[in-house]
Amino acid sequence: MLGDKSKFKIISALKNGEKCVCVIYKEIGLDQTLVSHHLSTLKNAGLISRRKVGRWVYYFLNKKAFKKIERIYGNVLGVRNIKDIKGVNCDDG
C-alpha cells in the first residue's frame, strides 16, 4: 500500500495532522478526484480515518496502525511522536 508513490505522498501530507481533501490535493499536486480515490483506499486498508464536520471531511492517520508501522520499520515517515500530531482546518469562506 505504501509502495504507491501517490498514497505515500498522502500519508506524508497527513503526518503532521488531519487535513481535508481541499488541502491535501494542493499540497501533493494531484487531481482532487484521484486523491479522494486514494484516501478511500487508505481508509479501507485501515491506515487512515476520517471525521465529517459540516460539509468538510477531515482525514488523519490511524495512530494504532502507524504505531505498529513505527515499531516494525522505525521512524520512516518522520513522525517523532504520534501524540504531537496537529490538524489543519479548511476555511469555509
Side-chain angles (χ1 to χ4, degrees):
M1 182 69 57
L2 294 177
D4 177 5
K5 187 189 262 186
S6 297
K7 289 180 183 74
F8 188 80
K9 284 181 180 181
I10 292 169
I11 292 294
S12 294
L14 294 174
K15 74 180 182 182
N16 292 319
E18 67 179 15
K19 297 178 182 174
C20 65
V21 177
C22 64
V23 172
I24 298 168
Y25 90 92
K26 291 175 186 174
E27 284 185 8
I28 66 174
L30 293 175
D31 182 72
Q32 186 172 353
T33 305
L34 182 58
V35 170
S36 293
H37 171 75
H38 286 312
L39 286 167
S40 178
T41 302
L42 290 165
K43 182 183 172 297
N44 290 338
L47 295 174
I48 65 171
S49 297
R50 68 181 186 176
R51 69 180 182 94
K52 189 167 183 169
V53 179
R55 67 182 190 139
W56 300 109
V57 178
Y58 293 91
Y59 293 88
F60 53 94
L61 298 180
N62 176 337
K63 294 178 183 182
K64 288 182 182 179
F66 281 91
K67 280 284 197 190
K68 187 174 184 178
I69 290 171
E70 284 178 328
R71 283 193 308 271
I72 295 169
Y73 295 104
N75 208 359
V76 175
L77 298 176
V79 177
R80 299 277 183 238
N81 185 341
I82 278 287
K83 292 179 188 175
D84 294 335
I85 292 176
K86 298 175 184 147
V88 175
N89 293 324
C90 295
D91 181 344
D92 201 24

